[in-house]
Amino acid sequence: MPDRIDLTDARALRAYAHPTRMELVGLLRRHGPLTATRAAELTGESVAGCSYHLRMLAKYGLVEQSGGGRGREKPWRATARTTHWEAAYDDPAATEAVGDLTMAQVDAYVRKLGAALAVRHRLPRAWQAAEYSGDWSLYLTPEELTGLTEEMTRLLSRYDDRFEDPARRPEGARLVSLLRLAFVDPPTGPDTEDTADKADTADTADAPSPPAPEHRPGPPHPSA
C-alpha cells in the first residue's frame, strides 16, 4: 500500500471533511478490506449510508474495491496508509476547504479521545501508567517548527513496519494513537491587535522568559 494520498483540490478536501468518511478510511487502514455491511456494524451507520460514503471516497481515490463479492457485499480497501493536504493552496476555495477539513479532523480526535477515556478504567495498570498527555510552549521560527516536525516524524517512523506486518509487533503491543498538533498561540492581553507586528521587531534581550513546559502524566486530556 502506498504511504500516502494527497488531496489537492477543494472538491476532494470537502468530500473527505465528513466524520463518517474519515472514520471509514481509518477502519479500512487498520482492519483491511471491509464490506459496506461490516462497515455499518463497526460505525453504527446504515449499510446504505456506508455504501454511499465509500463510493464518494472512491470518487476521490481514497478507497477502492478489492475484488470479490456482490453489491454492498463487495469489499473495499484503503488506497494509502495516510492522507495528506497542504496548509494552504493557490486556489482560495481549496484553502477554505482546508480549514473545514482540519476542524473536522480535530473533532474526530476529540471524539476518539472521549471514547478512549470512557473505557480507560478497563485497561491494565501498566497501560494506564504508560498513557501520556502534555504540551510544550516554545518560541520557534517557522523553519525550526518545520524541522522539529520532521524530526518527530523520523522518530515515529521507526515503528511503521509493525502496522502491516504483525510478526514485527513485540508481545504485548497494542494499537496506540499518538496525536501531534502544533499551532501558533493566539495573542492575548491588551495588545492583541499588534502582537504579531511586535513579535518581528521586539528586542529579544528584553523579552520575558518562556513559560516552563507543562507535562501532565496520566489520562490524556487536550490542552485548552
Side-chain angles (χ1 to χ4, degrees):
M1 182 186 298
D3 181 62
R4 81 184 202 186
I5 182 171
D6 291 84
L7 304 183
T8 58
D9 65 77
R11 291 174 299 175
L13 292 161
R14 290 198 179 96
Y16 192 47
H18 188 288
T20 300
R21 292 172 194 167
M22 298 179 82
E23 184 179 7
L24 285 170
V25 172
L27 287 171
L28 292 172
R29 287 171 177 164
R30 291 193 300 273
H31 302 296
L34 297 172
T35 65
T37 299
R38 180 57 178 153
E41 294 172 353
L42 294 173
T43 62
E45 300 289 331
S46 69
V47 176
C50 285
S51 182
Y52 168 75
H53 289 307
L54 286 166
R55 291 196 305 272
M56 287 298 296
L57 290 167
K59 181 178 179 180
Y60 296 101
L62 287 153
V63 306
E64 63 186 6
Q65 291 184 345
S66 60
R70 291 183 177 181
R72 291 172 182 169
E73 297 311 308
K74 289 182 178 180
W76 296 82
R77 65 187 174 197
T79 57
R81 290 189 61 244
T82 61
T83 307
H84 174 80
W85 58 88
E86 299 295 333
Y89 294 89
D90 293 336
D91 178 10
T95 299
E96 181 180 356
V98 165
D100 294 337
L101 176 52
T102 304
M103 284 299 300
Q105 182 187 41
V106 171
D107 288 342
Y109 289 155
V110 172
R111 290 194 302 273
K112 188 173 183 180
L113 178 60
L117 287 173
V119 297
R120 183 178 182 274
H121 63 282
R122 302 177 189 171
L123 291 174
R125 288 288 297 275
W127 275 110
Q128 293 187 46
E131 286 187 336
Y132 168 82
S133 71
D135 64 272
W136 290 86
S137 294
L138 304 170
Y139 283 103
L140 301 173
T141 65
E143 294 76 16
E144 288 174 329
L145 180 54
T146 298
L148 181 60
T149 300
E150 293 173 348
E151 187 176 349
M152 288 190 291
T153 299
R154 287 192 295 270
L155 176 63
L156 296 174
S157 295
R158 290 162 41 187
Y159 305 97
D160 278 351
D161 57 358
R162 300 180 182 182
F163 195 85
E164 295 183 355
D165 186 359
R168 294 183 177 272
R169 301 170 193 169
E171 184 178 357
R174 296 183 62 168
L175 184 62
V176 173
S177 291
L178 193 152
L179 305 182
R180 292 187 298 161
L181 299 171
F183 53 90
V184 177
D185 276 3
T188 58
D191 56 345
T192 55
E193 293 184 359
D194 58 354
T195 298
D197 294 334
K198 289 183 178 179
D200 292 332
T201 59
D203 184 352
T204 55
D206 297 329
S209 301
E214 183 178 356
H215 294 281
R216 296 194 294 270
H221 42 286
S223 302

